[in-house]
Amino acid sequence: MDLFCSIEYIPLLYTFKNTDGNSSFMSTDLLNKSLYRAIEDFPIFAGRLHQVQPGKLEVVVDSSNLNLPKFIEIQSNLDFAEFEAANFNPALLPNGSVRPTGFLTGGFQEGNIKLVNICIVQFKDSRGIVLSVTIAHAVVDGYGFNMFMHRWAEINKKLVADSMATDFGASNSVHNRSLVQEVMPTPQEPRLDVLQKLYIPSGYLSRFFTWISPGIRGTILETIQQASTDVSISCFHVSRETIDQLCQSVKRMSATDQRISDNDVLMAAITIVYAQSVLKPRSERTNSGLLSWLKSAIFGSSSKNPKTFLTMEAADIRHRIPNANLENYSGNSIINMMMLNPIELLQMPASTEVLAQAALDVRKSTNEITSEYIAQLIHLADVENDFVFRMLVYNASVAEILMVSNFSRFTLYTTDFGWGNPQFVAPANTKFPKFATFFPAHPSKGGIFVHLVDSANILQQMRNSNFWTESFEFVY
């Protein structure tokens, strides 16, 4: 499952406020010291990524040749108060504080990709910092990322209390990949409808990306992505009260007693409004210049007469495999949940009825994530070495797709480095279009933040939707 996420980083921003103006607040030296101690508990982070055969990667941890994190500090020309007044908009952070795209890069030489990148952004008035943390998705998923951040914070907090501390207790994290292999069932003959969702035909481009090294692959993808000037991020907030109201409305419209979760409703709402934004006549879409030309030349287009809109969400399998004890497993335990929505349904005027149907489709897809489904997906990736990169090519060649990741259940706001919990946690502003993430809001605010990366035109189309703006408040 690490291979499914082997081309990108997870880039998060943790904003901390220095409420009392303490000169020792979030000391860079102490953060650096505690980071290296935390990595002793996550040794894979100091490994080097190698391609052992086309489409197959491994991380080699060599104590004599460690791949230590990149750790830098950058000064912002803003006061923290200005950043806070702008709702912590990551677009205001200085260049270099986050990676420009989400792709793994590190030059053409094997093993040079940094698996962990840390940047501390200092503000002019010393009233706060942004801790930019970027970790290779190949070694950790969002759940494991959160585990690492809490371990790092725990160690730093003890050093704040006693800079000479050496006893930090034992970490409960588990990194052994064989743990997942041991609990994975043997795949049986799949049902045809499940196989259709999983299967994308091979092609010369997917085989090419399989053959080249991770560093070269990332460099090519980052070059293409950086050519776009028309990719930005917007953030919306939906309150806890509104989420509950939407869930109740969907349940009233449903003829069954099927459970409907917050995620079902949020996924349905964003699918409807985003799909309607991208399905505008081509004459109404803006052209993103060189990026559009490069993508058309390299990937082509498969979107002439689409019949379905594909929404993909990362689904955690830790609790979906019977008798599997993966609660403390830090490696990737996620697979893509795929929802194929009829274009005819999504082009209907947005309403509670359409929302209910889309939410039930999300729930149906969620229920299909069984141990057998998981086994089939892993089996396909194992026997067809370009399987993972087929989805990459497909994503780039169609407009009718949205990828979603949900961090809303993670305890992001208890990451205390000794100076209190963060004020705001959000994804970095990277040029990774057609991608949405759900994040929890600060406990004092409640609800969920929806972050969406795409062209300015698509983001504006969503803001023009009355159905969307009735429930989702624009933040930045």
Side-chain angles (χ1 to χ4, degrees), residues 151 160 234 416 444 467:
R151 181 57 175 164
V160 168
S234 282
D416 182 1
S444 64
F467 178 79

Side-chain angles (χ1 to χ4, degrees), residues 192-231:
L192 180 60
D193 60 329
V194 174
L195 184 61
Q196 285 177 331
K197 279 191 175 184
L198 295 176
Y199 198 76
I200 296 172
S202 178
Y204 75 92
L205 197 52
S206 63
R207 292 192 293 270
F208 169 73
F209 279 119
T210 301
W211 175 74
I212 59 179
S213 72
I216 295 175
R217 181 165 55 238
T219 299
I220 292 173
L221 294 172
E222 184 170 77
T223 300
I224 294 172
Q225 207 62 58
Q226 280 192 286
S228 172
T229 57
D230 188 30
V231 176

Side-chain angles (χ1 to χ4, degrees), residues 167-188:
D167 182 7
F168 303 104
S171 170
N172 61 1
S173 56
V174 178
H175 319 294
N176 189 349
R177 267 50 183 175
S178 64
L179 183 65
V180 176
Q181 296 172 337
E182 290 168 0
V183 300
M184 198 59 60
T186 302
Q188 304 299 316

Side-chain angles (χ1 to χ4, degrees), residues 96-142:
S97 54
V98 296
R99 299 190 61 83
T101 73
F103 294 116
L104 286 166
T105 57
F108 296 145
Q109 188 172 344
E110 274 278 291
N112 278 356
I113 294 174
K114 288 291 184 184
L115 302 185
V116 178
N117 297 273
I118 307 294
C119 177
I120 299 172
V121 180
Q122 298 282 0
F123 291 91
K124 279 196 311 181
D125 56 1
S126 301
R127 285 290 181 175
I129 71 161
V130 170
L131 185 59
S132 172
V133 183
T134 306
I135 303 178
H137 210 330
V139 296
V140 72
D141 60 10

